[in-house]
Amino acid sequence: MNKKKQTPLAVLKGLEPFIDKIGENFVNVDSENDLIRFADIDTESDFYFHIKQYKVENQFKVLIDYKPHAENSTDKRQLWINGTEINKYFEAWIKLLKSYDIVKSPFDDPIVESFKQDYYTEFEIIDDEKDKPLKPSQILLLDEYFEKVEQNIDKYKSESNKEQIEEIKSDITGLRENLSSKTKTWIVKKVCWIWAKMTKIGPKLTKDFIDEGNKQIVKEGVKQLIEVGKNLLT
């Protein structure tokens, strides 16, 4: 049976604005058994917003499950709401994510954060492009660069930095696995995070993997000038 035509039109219309919704602080992920799922763009976060079920009585309602639900708690919350109220709760959740991104805390590494911001300012992504995925040729270009990093970074491992190197390798694996499914904004933030961690380890690693040529490869990969990037790889 066609599930779409087993679902009341009022429900489909109520969910339609969220089907392809993407943004700077969140991503649309596999819905599994739910209707729609969103997750924090930070892969180390467990914050989420799920639209789980619907019911139609006198009016269309949905069951939402989200975390966090307030500034004074990191707990999850689940409740039934009117279908017309989804955006109100969703926007409140996004506001919390944005606040987490800008607030300073004793758990941040100020050196890595500073390097990350420096790298982020080098990228120029047009607003119309930032929430779009990469093109296949861009994906292959970036994957080639990070495969090279992943294969060679162990040469720089020492007793004092081995944990940081392994963390960077794990970040690279996560990035490569998501090049086809995440937005340009997500990818750029992940790249800057990886570069910042590499820069903190030392100048040798930075010069070999984040020199101007390699930075240009990645920046062109995120943009459209693929042929230029390919030439830089040779």
Side-chain angles (χ1 to χ4, degrees):
M1 290 288 289
N2 187 326
K3 288 186 177 180
K4 178 178 180 179
K5 293 191 175 179
Q6 289 181 298
T7 306
L9 188 57
V11 174
L12 297 176
K13 286 184 174 181
L15 297 177
E16 186 177 20
F18 303 92
I19 299 297
D20 298 315
K21 203 171 185 70
I22 48 180
E24 188 172 343
N25 305 88
F26 65 91
V27 288
N28 202 318
V29 297
D30 185 358
S31 61
E32 297 186 18
N33 295 320
D34 296 331
L35 295 170
I36 299 173
R37 283 188 176 189
F38 299 98
D40 190 340
I41 201 167
D42 178 2
T43 54
E44 297 179 9
S45 164
D46 66 348
F47 292 166
Y48 64 86
F49 189 99
H50 297 171
I51 305 175
K52 301 186 69 65
Q53 302 173 34
Y54 75 86
K55 62 182 178 182
V56 180
E57 295 170 342
N58 293 328
Q59 53 187 326
F60 157 49
K61 293 189 175 183
V62 293
L63 177 64
I64 59 172
D65 180 10
Y66 61 108
K67 176 181 181 179
H69 68 85
E71 285 194 358
N72 60 0
S73 173
T74 59
D75 292 340
K76 67 177 184 178
R77 184 186 187 194
Q78 188 173 110
L79 74 160
W80 285 96
I81 61 170
N82 290 333
T84 55
E85 295 183 303
I86 299 174
N87 198 58
K88 180 181 78 172
Y89 285 88
F90 186 65
E91 289 296 328
W93 177 73
I94 293 173
K95 185 177 179 180
L96 290 172
L97 296 190
K98 289 180 178 178
S99 296
Y100 267 101
D101 282 349
I102 61 176
V103 70
K104 293 180 179 174
S105 82
F107 311 110
D108 298 327
D109 183 329
I111 296 174
V112 172
E113 287 289 334
S114 178
F115 287 144
K116 184 178 71 172
Q117 289 303 317
D118 288 342
Y119 285 128
Y120 192 73
T121 58
E122 295 189 34
F123 286 89
E124 295 180 10
I125 306 177
I126 301 170
D127 282 346
D128 291 346
E129 295 288 325
K130 68 179 183 178
D131 293 333
K132 293 182 179 179
L134 298 175
K135 296 182 182 297
S137 50
Q138 295 173 303
I139 292 166
L140 293 175
L141 180 63
L142 292 181
D143 188 63
E144 187 174 354
Y145 164 72
F146 280 105
E147 181 181 33
K148 180 179 71 174
V149 176
E150 203 168 16
Q151 290 173 344
N152 291 282
I153 197 170
D154 278 339
K155 298 175 185 176
Y156 303 82
K157 188 183 290 185
S158 67
E159 192 61 33
S160 62
N161 69 23
K162 61 182 181 182
E163 289 187 8
Q164 292 98 311
I165 293 286
E166 289 303 315
E167 184 177 316
I168 290 168
K169 288 168 64 178
S170 177
D171 287 341
I172 290 173
T173 299
L175 172 62
R176 293 180 66 195
E177 288 175 348
N178 286 282
L179 285 173
S180 300
S181 58
K182 302 300 186 186
T183 66
K184 289 182 180 180
T185 298
W186 185 94
I187 290 166
V188 167
K189 285 187 174 184
K190 195 70 174 177
V191 168
C192 293
W193 189 241
I194 291 169
W195 279 355
K197 291 179 181 179
M198 292 167 69
T199 303
K200 186 181 178 183
I201 289 177
K204 176 63 176 170
L205 192 65
T206 307
K207 283 190 290 185
D208 288 354
F209 291 124
I210 324 175
D211 61 12
E212 286 307 312
N214 282 323
K215 283 200 290 185
Q216 194 65 19
I217 289 171
V218 175
K219 286 191 283 187
E220 300 299 353
V222 173
K223 292 193 293 182
Q224 303 294 329
L225 306 178
I226 302 306
E227 292 306 318
V228 175
K230 284 182 178 176
N231 292 334
L232 289 169
L233 274 172
T234 58

